[in-house]
Amino acid sequence: MNRKNPLSTVIAIASTAIAIASGIFVLGGYFFAQKADGQASLLTNIRLTLLNWAIILAGFAIFIGILNLFQVHFNKIQKKQKGSFYSLLLILSLAITFLFGLVKPGQMEIVFTTVQLPVEASLMALLAVTLTYASIRLLRRRFNLLSVIFLVTALLILFGTAPLPFLGDIPGISDWVRPFIAQVMAAGGARGILLGVALGTLTTGLRILFGADRPYGGNK
Amino acid sequence: MNIWLGLAGFGIVFFSAVLMLGLSVLYRKRPYVFRDIPAFTRLRQAVGLVVEDGSRLHVSLGRGSLTTPQSASALAGLALLRRLADLTSAGDQPPIATSGDATIAILSQDTLQTAAEFSERATFDPRMGRLTGLTPFSYAAGAIPAIRDEKVSANVLMGNFGVEVALLTDAVERENTFVLAGSDNLTAQAVIYASAQEPLIGEEIYAAGAYVDSGLLHTASLTVQDILRWLIIAAILVGALLALAGVL
């Protein structure tokens, strides 16, 4: 916030205090959820109320986000920037979907099943090509032991998952190597990574509670 | 959650908080020595280049919603965005932030606005913090034009992604620009390892703030993570030995 403006300073302090207090109440509500008699504690009720408010605000944020999307693409069309034709398509689609929702509110899923779903499925199909190409280029980008292990593991999993035509499963790979990699090595590694992610999540949350990270403004 | 489990959870959080505060005080006197993560060294070089050649930095924050546990990675991304916005404040172009969640998009606007006001940049444009789509692939499809058409020379993809992150890294590769990418999602991490120039694996995304000098608490939080990791290792080993002995 602008240091010369006292109102901004007050807003920054108030928003920080509200964020920290809300965070402490929600966290406390998780840890002290029940009273000794088994009933929900006051902290739990406060937590649930705050979470309900957050969900309502998140719903309203979607509306603001869509306005932002409209603004970005409208500006692109106005300034005739590169790709403005696609921005025009986006705005037309947005308007048509909105009107469709007003005229036939109960049949909105038609838009998703006939337009959105096929488009997303085709992008998913494109991913197979993109990932194959990325794997081929991996050794050119980073030629080291880890990249070799990564590629060999991916190939072994693919061999173990896809049976050969007419022959079926590949002996040794399908019944031993693939399960060993997937259920022992990959599962162990994944748990280790997830524990690390959980610890990172904990410390990130604590930094927000301390007011060291203030993404809601006022971070100096 | 029963009372004892709740108390144990509170104890861990309280212990971590006290440790973090104590270490941040300690690091005022004795600087922390970081282990080398080449991705962050190259990020600094890329940010320097952004300022020098008048191009733009793009930070994509993924799809983690604030009301879910996946928000932590996006919050780590926002902390990095704040610092990177400061580092590029001398450049000609303000950074762009894209995301697939409306609340994160609003927070990215707030972060960029704060950075603009502190750097006394003439104006802040709210269109620099964008919601590009609400589903995984519409988000990726909406973020690709930002990578391609907005004179971007460095990209940071940090947040909760799925496999759609491959479309983003592919777009970056086609533009031949820098990309540092990390996610809290395991599938996305595998995809990022295969397709990104500078991948961050595991909890390295949470270390980003400390590596770009975001403050002593960021550095202290790294040490807290290390200490807790050692405690978990010890607990797993003791638990395994007790199970072997038939006690557990």
Side-chain angles (χ1 to χ4, degrees):
Chain A
M1 289 281 156
N2 194 336
R3 276 167 280 192
K4 289 171 191 164
N5 186 347
L7 183 66
S8 299
T9 311
V10 172
I11 291 171
I13 293 169
S15 57
T16 306
I18 291 169
I20 292 172
S22 306
I24 288 171
F25 278 126
V26 171
L27 195 64
Y30 275 109
F31 291 141
F32 305 105
Q34 291 175 340
K35 288 194 277 193
D37 57 7
Q39 285 187 322
S41 66
L42 176 67
L43 277 174
T44 304
N45 292 330
I46 294 173
R47 174 175 69 88
L48 291 175
T49 308
L50 287 173
L51 284 179
N52 284 336
W53 289 358
I55 290 164
I56 293 166
L57 284 174
F60 192 72
I62 291 175
F63 176 66
I64 295 174
I66 289 168
L67 286 182
N68 168 266
L69 190 72
F70 178 84
Q71 197 185 18
V72 167
H73 287 276
F74 186 73
N75 183 60
K76 248 183 164 179
I77 297 166
Q78 261 189 332
K79 291 187 176 169
K80 292 180 181 159
Q81 286 174 350
K82 197 177 168 189
S84 55
F85 175 70
Y86 298 108
S87 296
L88 181 68
L89 278 181
L90 183 134
I91 287 177
L92 282 175
S93 309
L94 195 68
I96 291 166
T97 311
F98 180 70
L99 288 174
F100 189 81
L102 285 181
V103 177
K104 294 195 181 254
Q107 294 177 340
M108 275 303 286
E109 73 272 10
I110 292 174
V111 178
F112 289 98
T113 51
T114 56
V115 182
Q116 185 85 13
L117 213 64
V119 169
E120 298 228 353
S122 58
L123 281 171
M124 189 68 148
L126 189 68
L127 261 186
V129 180
T130 306
L131 283 175
T132 310
Y133 180 62
S135 303
I136 292 166
R137 285 183 55 104
L138 176 63
L139 288 182
R140 227 172 79 182
R141 198 183 300 116
R142 268 194 315 274
F143 187 74
N144 57 28
L145 182 65
L146 283 178
S147 300
V148 174
I149 292 172
F150 183 89
L151 278 181
V152 170
T153 310
L155 287 174
L156 283 173
I157 293 286
L158 281 174
F159 281 134
T161 310
L164 288 173
F166 311 113
L167 294 174
D169 289 348
I170 304 168
I173 294 181
S174 298
D175 53 7
W176 192 83
V177 174
R178 194 194 76 84
F180 178 74
I181 291 173
Q183 290 161 20
V184 180
M185 298 181 81
R191 281 174 197 171
I193 287 177
L194 286 175
L195 280 171
V197 167
L199 293 178
T201 304
L202 170 70
T203 52
T204 303
L206 282 175
R207 285 202 306 268
I208 303 270
L209 282 183
F210 287 143
D213 289 350
R214 278 169 283 172
Y216 40 84
N219 210 358
K220 69 175 173 53
Chain B
M1 190 183 285
N2 71 41
I3 291 170
W4 294 111
L5 212 55
L7 276 175
F10 176 75
I12 291 168
V13 172
F14 186 74
F15 171 71
S16 309
V18 171
L19 208 57
M20 200 189 282
L21 286 176
L23 285 166
S24 65
V25 173
L26 185 73
Y27 290 146
R28 271 177 217 274
K29 294 169 190 163
R30 192 189 300 175
Y32 180 79
V33 181
F34 292 96
R35 79 178 164 93
D36 184 43
I37 299 181
F40 290 123
T41 312
R42 291 193 195 108
L43 173 67
R44 280 183 169 276
Q45 291 166 353
V47 166
L49 203 66
V50 163
V51 176
E52 272 176 34
D53 68 4
S55 57
R56 208 190 278 277
L57 173 79
H58 167 234
V59 179
S60 205
L61 299 161
R63 303 182 280 109
S65 169
L66 261 196
T67 49
T68 64
Q70 283 74 36
S71 62
S73 54
L75 290 170
L78 282 167
L80 184 65
L81 171 66
R82 175 73 181 89
R83 182 68 186 131
L84 292 180
D86 280 344
L87 291 173
T88 55
S89 61
D92 297 336
Q93 312 269 358
I96 307 175
T98 56
S99 54
D101 179 75
T103 48
I104 297 297
I106 291 172
L107 288 180
S108 69
Q109 287 178 1
D110 220 354
T111 303
L112 289 173
Q113 184 179 16
T114 310
E117 284 172 357
F118 266 86
S119 65
E120 291 172 1
R121 196 187 279 277
T123 53
F124 160 71
D125 185 351
R127 286 170 300 201
M128 293 299 110
R130 299 173 190 173
L131 173 75
T132 57
L134 291 168
T135 60
F137 285 101
S138 63
Y139 153 65
I144 288 171
I147 294 168
R148 211 183 43 206
D149 303 335
E150 308 239 6
K151 218 183 162 195
V152 167
S153 69
N155 298 273
V156 176
L157 314 178
M158 191 171 285
N160 178 256
F161 300 93
V163 285
E164 76 279 359
V165 72
L167 296 176
L168 299 178
T169 50
D170 182 60
V172 170
E173 192 160 308
R174 281 167 195 268
E175 293 303 307
N176 202 20
T177 51
F178 172 85
V179 62
L180 176 135
S183 174
D184 57 351
N185 181 297
L186 282 174
T187 315
Q189 283 186 23
V191 170
I192 284 168
Y193 186 80
S195 61
Q197 193 184 348
E198 298 296 341
L200 296 175
I201 301 301
E203 67 277 18
E204 283 176 353
I205 55 166
Y206 301 104
Y211 275 80
V212 293
D213 300 329
S214 291
L216 286 171
L217 269 172
H218 280 264
T219 313
S221 71
L222 271 191
T223 315
V224 172
Q225 285 179 54
D226 287 339
I227 291 169
L228 291 175
R229 195 175 296 115
W230 279 110
L231 290 176
I232 289 171
I233 291 168
I236 290 172
L237 285 176
V238 170
L241 285 174
L242 289 175
L244 270 178
V247 178
L248 281 179

